[in-house]
Amino acid sequence: MKLYDKEIKIPTQILVAECKDTKLINDLIKEVRFNMQFKKDMPAVTAESTPYESLVNSKNLLKFIEVNALAFKKYYPGFAFKIVDAWGNIYKNNNHYCKIHNHYGSTGFSAIIFLTDGPGPGTYFKEYDLLIKERKGRFILFHPLINHEVKNYNYKKERITIAFNCNAVSSYEPSVLNLC
């Protein structure tokens, strides 16, 4: 048996866009709050979090993707993907942060939706040396292997986000495009 190993650099992108549908954003906030009753400890996040799968079948999340389809198609032109996990986070105090991590295992892309305005520490993408600040409705699409983090949360206002991962699907598999 022989194992070959080599570091392969791959091209990555980060897309930042805004959703102006405040009713939809508010509905997503309600959904995150509702799912907090099933709180789960996350390996990288010390904030309050819903279980990984709690928002996978969310009609509001699918509507969010539909309303912002141009951004999703620009970032992921084939638009053939399925949501494999989706969860909410609520940061409330200085003990809440998100360690540097990536979403290894996802084959499509990852996303973060800011459901509240700053001030806040933003989300920092290490390889890009890029800090993206919170703004209600702002969302980020990025390659799952890009490392990112949230510094300690030293603010009075809650920071509410949804994060989700998508995998590529074959042309014969159901995709988000078929669901929207």
Side-chain angles (χ1 to χ4, degrees):
M1 181 183 312
K2 184 162 179 150
L3 176 66
Y4 297 90
D5 109 23
K6 180 176 182 164
E7 182 179 334
I8 298 175
K9 297 188 189 276
I10 56 171
T12 63
Q13 298 175 320
I14 295 175
L15 181 138
V16 180
E18 311 281 333
C19 176
K20 302 296 185 196
D21 188 336
T22 53
K23 182 190 178 314
L24 178 57
I25 297 300
N26 291 332
D27 288 344
L28 286 165
I29 290 171
K30 289 176 192 166
E31 196 165 357
V32 169
R33 288 193 188 285
F34 172 80
N35 280 285
M36 277 300 156
Q37 66 186 313
F38 311 107
K39 284 183 206 170
K40 184 173 181 177
D41 290 336
M42 302 292 242
V45 182
T46 63
E48 294 178 5
S49 299
T50 69
Y52 279 127
E53 67 284 349
S54 64
L55 300 171
V56 168
N57 296 312
S58 164
K59 289 184 173 142
N60 289 318
L61 183 54
L62 287 176
K63 185 174 180 189
F64 180 90
I65 292 168
E66 180 182 16
V67 165
N68 297 288
L70 288 176
F72 281 85
K73 287 177 181 178
K74 180 177 179 78
Y75 184 81
Y76 204 74
F79 207 66
F81 62 88
K82 66 180 177 182
I83 301 169
V84 291
D85 43 41
W87 65 97
N89 301 299
I90 300 180
Y91 294 73
K92 294 181 177 180
N93 62 56
N94 193 36
N95 295 325
H96 288 168
Y97 59 90
C98 182
K99 297 183 241 179
I100 193 152
H101 70 287
N102 62 45
H103 296 222
Y104 177 81
S106 297
T107 62
F109 62 91
S110 298
I112 299 168
I113 306 169
F114 295 114
L115 300 178
T116 51
D117 282 321
T123 299
Y124 178 68
F125 290 86
K126 183 178 180 182
E127 288 86 358
Y128 281 76
D129 191 24
L130 175 64
L131 179 66
I132 300 172
K133 299 297 274 180
E134 297 89 347
R135 181 181 298 159
K136 188 173 186 170
R138 177 174 284 167
F139 62 99
I140 310 165
L141 306 178
F142 58 98
H143 192 284
L145 295 181
I146 298 175
N147 289 308
H148 56 287
E149 68 182 317
V150 177
K151 299 290 185 188
N152 285 47
Y153 195 75
N154 297 318
Y155 305 91
K156 292 180 180 165
K157 187 177 177 185
E158 291 179 327
R159 176 190 201 253
I160 305 175
T161 63
I162 290 177
F164 60 98
N165 294 312
C166 297
N167 283 352
V169 296
S170 301
S171 58
Y172 56 86
E173 293 179 276
S175 124
V176 167
L177 179 61
N178 306 114
L179 303 174
C180 291

